[in-house]
Amino acid sequence: MSKNAIIASTSTLHGGDYLEYLLPELGIHFKNCKTILFIPFARPSGITHEEYTKKVAVAFAKIGKEVNGIHEFDDYSTAIKNAEGIFTGGGNTFLLVAQLYENKIMNLLAEMVQSGIPYLGTSAGSNICGLTMQTTNDMPIVYPPSFKTLGLIPFNLNPHYLDADVQSKHMGETRETRIKEFHSFNSIPVLGLREGSWLEVKGDTILLKGNLSARLFLQNQIPEEIVSGSDLSLLK
Amino acid sequence: MSKNAIIASTSTLHGGDYLEYLLPELGIHFKNCKTILFIPFARPSGITHEEYTKKVAVAFAKIGKEVNGIHEFDDYSTAIKNAEGIFTGGGNTFLLVAQLYENKIMNLLAEMVQSGIPYLGTSAGSNICGLTMQTTNDMPIVYPPSFKTLGLIPFNLNPHYLDADVQSKHMGETRETRIKEFHSFNSIPVLGLREGSWLEVKGDTILLKGNLSARLFLQNQIPEEIVSGSDLSLLK
């Protein structure tokens, strides 16, 4: 088998229900799975693993899938090895990465997804699909042992990508400025993935999906817009 | 001598020049200094130490102060020990903290400011005045050896604090959500310092200055607005 992943900017579109806009895709993506293993470690707004898993179960019930939180298992490695499909939800990327390392499942998760187990990531769960988590938008609320992540795609992501608001009087850095700062010290390409966009990874192909274009940042180059449908597998 | 620091949310207000709104305060704050030692490590937008120091020198020339970048000195520790006044500018907090540790001057800088050398921080240079840098807004573009910072004040800061835009259709976390996530794992109080606000630290007194209120976040409590002029020294 070969890689089979959906890597989405966000779980939820404005005015929509949790995962609603993705459900038709997810029905196909997880068609051979009765159950989905959910990794709730990113804990958005600090909600518990139990609360988060319940929310995910409600969404997946709409396409006839059962959801088990990884925290329900005695042995996390065995849970991953036995999973039919895996979903890592959004929240805080520092927390998620710290927990994946602490529980010694970062490498195993990468291996399993490389070997073809259907994977879904949203937001923080997508961030970790890049080479490093260094283009996250999140606050460093915990100190992870490393910023290295799954490396399922040969570049980094900036989920929830936001264009600069030219009307704004706020002097904090724009997203583009932050990514430029990243490229002062790192050569890894960064894809700014707008809300409603996702990457469909099938083997060696990485297609941009959804209605919007994505913004691609290469070191020492002017950013460019990538249209939906483009293959990003040649990025290096 | 006792602590004597200005800890500002931002260097620049919308439509104003660099440091312009603070210059009257800075004339008083640095009145006994002919020269200011500038720490340019945070490198906003990746500009060089030289470019950044030039920009700062232009601003301080308006109040008759000479500026030397710490990178111009052979021995950074000696430069800090001999400084009449110190300014740490904004940019990327991860980079700033990594550089302070790499050059082994984090502790010395804390000692010098504790002992009364006049200090100015803006943005990232203010972030490091808290107990940890964990409530920064910046991207983790480099991996620092620790998130611990100067601890000049008994709480953390969130500079460029931004209220949630209720009109926004963007689903990324608000600043308040991010700080709430921080408080799921940390008990340190966090002060959201809006642009145009600063803290004036004189000995054991920490006064909120500027026209705006600040937003105070305590673990497990509803955030509250702190009016300008308040003393924050009793926060724990």
Side-chain angles (χ1 to χ4, degrees):
Chain A
M1 292 207 294
S2 60
K3 273 186 281 188
N4 184 17
I6 289 179
I7 301 173
S9 174
T10 185
S11 61
T12 314
L13 292 181
H14 183 77
D17 283 340
Y18 185 72
L19 290 178
E20 186 180 4
Y21 79 103
L22 275 175
L23 283 179
E25 288 288 326
L26 297 182
I28 301 164
H29 185 63
F30 289 119
K31 65 179 184 296
N32 296 323
C33 310
K34 276 190 186 167
T35 63
I36 309 286
L37 180 70
F38 176 56
I39 300 179
F41 292 155
R43 298 179 56 187
S45 303
I47 64 170
T48 65
H49 295 153
E50 291 74 18
E51 289 170 319
Y52 199 8
T53 303
K54 265 187 207 165
K55 177 178 173 169
V56 170
V58 168
F60 274 97
K62 295 173 187 171
I63 54 169
K65 310 292 175 191
E66 194 183 315
V67 171
N68 301 118
I70 194 168
H71 62 285
E72 298 164 24
F73 294 82
D74 290 333
D75 183 332
Y76 292 0
S77 296
T78 306
I80 288 178
K81 282 178 196 158
N82 293 337
E84 296 181 281
I86 296 176
F87 170 35
T88 307
N92 186 285
T93 309
F94 290 86
L95 179 58
L96 171 59
V97 168
Q99 287 283 296
L100 290 174
Y101 277 114
E102 193 172 301
N103 290 295
K104 298 186 172 53
I105 52 175
M106 180 70 89
N107 291 340
L108 178 65
L109 182 58
E111 284 164 26
M112 292 300 288
V113 184
Q114 291 283 0
S115 76
I117 189 169
Y119 178 86
L120 167 67
T122 60
S123 195
S126 294
N127 240 320
I128 60 168
C129 294
L131 294 168
T132 78
M133 56 161 286
Q134 289 176 274
T135 48
T136 176
N137 308 307
D138 296 334
M139 261 188 190
I141 63 172
V142 296
Y143 185 71
S146 167
F147 285 160
K148 283 194 185 158
T149 47
L150 300 173
L152 303 174
I153 50 175
F155 49 90
N156 272 9
L157 290 175
N158 180 251
H160 301 282
Y161 183 76
L162 196 59
D163 294 287
D165 174 2
V166 292
Q167 304 295 322
S168 173
K169 295 182 176 175
H170 188 70
M171 301 298 287
E173 288 90 350
T174 64
R175 201 63 67 81
E176 192 158 320
T177 300
R178 295 171 196 277
I179 296 169
K180 188 177 173 192
E181 289 177 354
F182 173 76
H183 275 149
S184 297
F185 299 91
N186 304 275
S187 60
I188 299 171
V190 179
L191 188 70
L193 207 53
R194 295 186 176 90
E195 293 180 344
S197 294
W198 68 92
L199 299 178
E200 183 189 271
V201 183
K202 298 261 186 202
D204 292 331
T205 306
I206 306 171
L207 293 182
L208 176 64
K209 307 279 274 190
N211 295 327
L212 302 174
S213 62
R215 195 157 179 86
L216 176 64
F217 300 85
L218 301 176
Q219 193 181 33
N220 300 325
Q221 293 188 36
I222 293 167
E224 58 177 316
E225 289 293 313
I226 304 294
V227 297
S228 183
S230 300
D231 184 354
L232 290 152
S233 58
L234 294 181
L235 268 187
K236 267 183 196 159
Chain B
M1 292 208 296
S2 60
K3 274 187 280 188
N4 184 18
I6 289 180
I7 301 173
S9 174
T10 185
S11 62
T12 314
L13 292 181
H14 183 75
D17 284 339
Y18 185 71
L19 290 179
E20 186 181 3
Y21 80 101
L22 274 175
L23 284 180
E25 288 289 327
L26 298 182
I28 300 164
H29 186 61
F30 288 120
K31 66 178 184 296
N32 295 324
C33 311
K34 276 190 186 168
T35 63
I36 309 286
L37 181 71
F38 177 55
I39 300 178
F41 292 155
R43 298 180 55 187
S45 302
I47 64 170
T48 64
H49 295 154
E50 290 75 17
E51 288 170 319
Y52 199 7
T53 303
K54 266 187 207 164
K55 178 179 174 170
V56 170
V58 167
F60 273 97
K62 294 173 187 170
I63 54 168
K65 309 293 177 190
E66 195 183 316
V67 171
N68 301 117
I70 195 168
H71 62 284
E72 299 164 24
F73 293 83
D74 290 333
D75 182 334
Y76 292 180
S77 296
T78 306
I80 288 177
K81 281 179 196 157
N82 291 338
E84 295 181 283
I86 296 176
F87 169 36
T88 307
N92 186 286
T93 309
F94 289 87
L95 178 58
L96 172 60
V97 168
Q99 288 282 297
L100 290 174
Y101 278 113
E102 193 172 300
N103 290 295
K104 297 185 172 52
I105 52 174
M106 181 70 90
N107 290 341
L108 177 65
L109 182 58
E111 284 165 25
M112 291 300 288
V113 184
Q114 292 282 2
S115 75
I117 190 170
Y119 178 86
L120 168 66
T122 60
S123 194
S126 294
N127 240 321
I128 61 168
C129 295
L131 293 167
T132 77
M133 57 161 286
Q134 289 176 274
T135 48
T136 177
N137 309 306
D138 297 334
M139 263 189 186
I141 62 171
V142 296
Y143 186 70
S146 168
F147 286 159
K148 283 195 187 157
T149 47
L150 300 173
L152 302 175
I153 50 175
F155 50 91
N156 272 8
L157 291 176
N158 180 251
H160 300 283
Y161 183 76
L162 197 58
D163 294 287
D165 174 2
V166 292
Q167 303 295 321
S168 174
K169 294 181 176 176
H170 188 71
M171 300 299 285
E173 288 91 350
T174 63
R175 201 64 66 79
E176 190 157 323
T177 300
R178 294 171 197 278
I179 296 170
K180 188 177 173 190
E181 289 178 353
F182 172 76
H183 275 149
S184 296
F185 298 91
N186 304 275
S187 60
I188 298 171
V190 179
L191 188 70
L193 207 54
R194 295 185 175 92
E195 293 180 344
S197 294
W198 68 92
L199 299 178
E200 182 189 273
V201 183
K202 299 263 187 201
D204 292 332
T205 306
I206 305 172
L207 293 182
L208 176 63
K209 306 279 275 192
N211 295 326
L212 302 174
S213 63
R215 197 157 178 85
L216 177 64
F217 300 84
L218 300 176
Q219 194 181 33
N220 301 324
Q221 293 188 37
I222 293 167
E224 58 175 315
E225 289 292 314
I226 304 294
V227 297
S228 183
S230 299
D231 184 355
L232 291 152
S233 58
L234 294 181
L235 271 184
K236 267 184 198 160

